[in-house]
């Protein structure tokens, strides 16, 4: 099972590098089902793994100019605050048993995995759903020749919506340990009107910052960490994201996202069935 888990680490990194999100939602299931890590601890491990991996992936996008730092701050700062607060104060307050219905007890571990699985299903929908082509004409003559960063500067931004989305994504990240790229990228494309490549680079920067800062919330509580395992898994995932960043230059995103979406959908439904049937 460990070999399958490390293969999963490569796949997670590849996906994160290819589409700037989605790969992180594989990390918790891999840790829980293949390495038998406790669910709450797995969400902490995931923050470190995803944050560090995204940091390496973001480096190449920064060099290419595929990061909108203005949006990264508007979206990222409230998201970082929300994820840190969730890990440091909300998670320790969650009861061991949430509720019992007809003899069926939803524990904290089962509840977190079910929330995670439902997010996977929602993420799969956003990936499978065909995206509408952007037929909006350039704002001025010659705009089509500008870089994605330059084109994005002229967009009129809905700052309250972007800020609110950042808080929501940060809270969900803190609860389930996912980087949130599957929620961040649609927000950046729809609300911030960023081109896809710019959204991917900006997403990786936000994911890296909020995941690693959120992880410090666990360290502040003295959560025990298996550092040799954590660093090994992370190192393998970094190899995956660097390879994914290179492959992303050759594989059309329009073909990759729906395929991965179906994979995530099957995994999410499988997790829901396993947790409800086995509890």
């Amino acid at each position: 099972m460990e070999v399958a888990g490390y293969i999963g680490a490569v796949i997670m990194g590849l996906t994160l590098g290819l589409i700037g999100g989605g790969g992180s939602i594989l990390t918790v299931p891999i840790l829980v089902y293949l390495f038998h890590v406790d669910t709450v601890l797995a969400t902490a491990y995931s923050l470190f793994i995803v944050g560090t991996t995204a940091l390496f992936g973001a480096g190449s996008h920064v060099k290419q100019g595929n990061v909108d730092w203005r949006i990264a701050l508007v979206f990222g700062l409230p998201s970082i605050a929300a994820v840190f607060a969730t890990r440091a104060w909300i998670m320790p307050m969650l009861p061991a048993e949430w509720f019992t219905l007809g003899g069926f007890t939803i524990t904290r571990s089962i509840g977190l995995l079910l929330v995670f699985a439902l997010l996977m299903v929602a993420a799969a929908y956003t990936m499978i759903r065909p995206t509408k082509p952007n037929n909006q004409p350039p704002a001025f003559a010659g705009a089509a020749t500008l870089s994605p960063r330059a084109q994005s500067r002229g967009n009129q931004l809905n700052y309250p919506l972007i800020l609110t989305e950042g808080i929501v994504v940060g809270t969900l990240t803190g609860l389930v340990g996912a980087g949130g790229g599957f929620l961040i990228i649609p927000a950046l494309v729809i609300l911030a009107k960023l081109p896809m490549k710019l959204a991917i680079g900006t997403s990786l920067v936000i994911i890296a910052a909020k995941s690693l800062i959120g992880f410090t919330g666990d360290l502040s509580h003295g959560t025990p960490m298996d550092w040799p395992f954590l660093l090994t898994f992370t190192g393998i995932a970094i190899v995956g994201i660097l390879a994914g960043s290179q492959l992303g230059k050759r594989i059309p995103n329009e073909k990759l996202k729906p395929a991965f979406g179906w994979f995530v959908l099957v995994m999410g439904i499988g997790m829901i069935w396993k947790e409800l049937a086995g509890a």
Side-chain angles (χ1 to χ4, degrees):
M1 296 298 282
E2 287 190 2
V3 173
Y6 288 125
I7 292 174
V10 176
I11 295 173
M12 168 263 179
L14 278 170
T15 308
L16 197 58
L18 284 168
I19 62 176
S24 57
I25 61 179
L26 299 176
T27 308
V28 169
I30 289 170
L31 293 174
V32 171
Y33 297 121
L34 298 182
F35 289 103
H36 307 291
V37 177
D38 173 74
T39 301
V40 177
L41 184 60
T43 62
Y45 280 11
S46 178
L47 289 174
F48 177 83
I49 294 166
V50 171
T52 306
T53 305
L55 185 63
F56 277 82
S60 62
H61 285 276
V62 171
K63 292 178 183 178
Q64 298 171 40
N66 287 336
V67 176
D68 188 316
W69 294 103
R70 173 189 55 166
I71 299 300
L73 288 174
V74 174
F75 189 103
L77 289 179
S79 185
I80 289 169
V83 72
F84 181 84
T86 301
R87 297 303 300 186
W89 300 306
I90 297 177
M91 285 291 286
M93 294 173 58
L94 293 178
E97 294 186 359
W98 289 7
F99 61 88
T100 301
L101 183 62
F104 181 82
T105 301
I106 298 294
T107 63
R108 179 170 59 178
S109 293
I110 293 174
L112 288 174
L113 283 175
L114 288 176
V115 170
F116 195 93
L118 290 172
L119 284 177
M120 290 178 73
V121 172
Y125 172 74
T126 66
M127 293 177 187
I128 294 169
R129 182 183 59 187
T131 55
K132 296 180 180 179
N134 185 4
N135 296 321
Q136 187 175 2
F140 55 90
T145 64
L146 295 178
S147 65
R149 181 203 294 267
Q151 291 181 40
S152 71
R153 285 176 183 156
N155 293 332
Q156 200 168 18
L157 302 178
N158 190 329
Y159 285 108
L161 269 178
I162 296 173
L163 188 144
T164 302
E165 180 82 6
I167 294 173
V168 171
V169 171
T171 302
L172 291 174
T173 294
L175 285 173
V176 302
F182 57 91
L183 297 173
I184 294 173
I185 288 181
L188 296 182
V189 172
I190 296 169
L191 300 181
K193 297 178 173 53
L194 294 186
M196 192 63 195
K197 284 189 177 181
L198 202 57
I200 291 174
T202 306
S203 171
L204 288 174
V205 169
I206 294 170
I207 289 170
K210 68 188 182 67
S211 296
L212 290 174
I213 292 176
F215 179 71
T216 64
D218 290 278
L219 292 180
S220 67
H221 286 283
T223 304
M225 303 290 171
D226 184 349
W227 285 107
F229 164 73
L230 197 52
L231 293 175
T232 300
F233 191 104
T234 303
I236 293 172
I238 288 171
V239 173
I241 196 170
L242 294 178
S245 297
Q246 294 302 313
L247 284 174
K249 299 176 182 178
R250 301 179 178 89
I251 302 177
N253 189 69
E254 295 78 12
K255 294 182 179 179
L256 180 67
K257 286 187 73 175
F260 184 72
W262 284 109
F263 174 66
V264 170
L265 179 63
V266 171
M267 280 195 62
I269 293 174
M271 285 178 62
I272 293 172
W273 179 83
K274 185 179 187 302
E275 294 305 317
L276 294 179

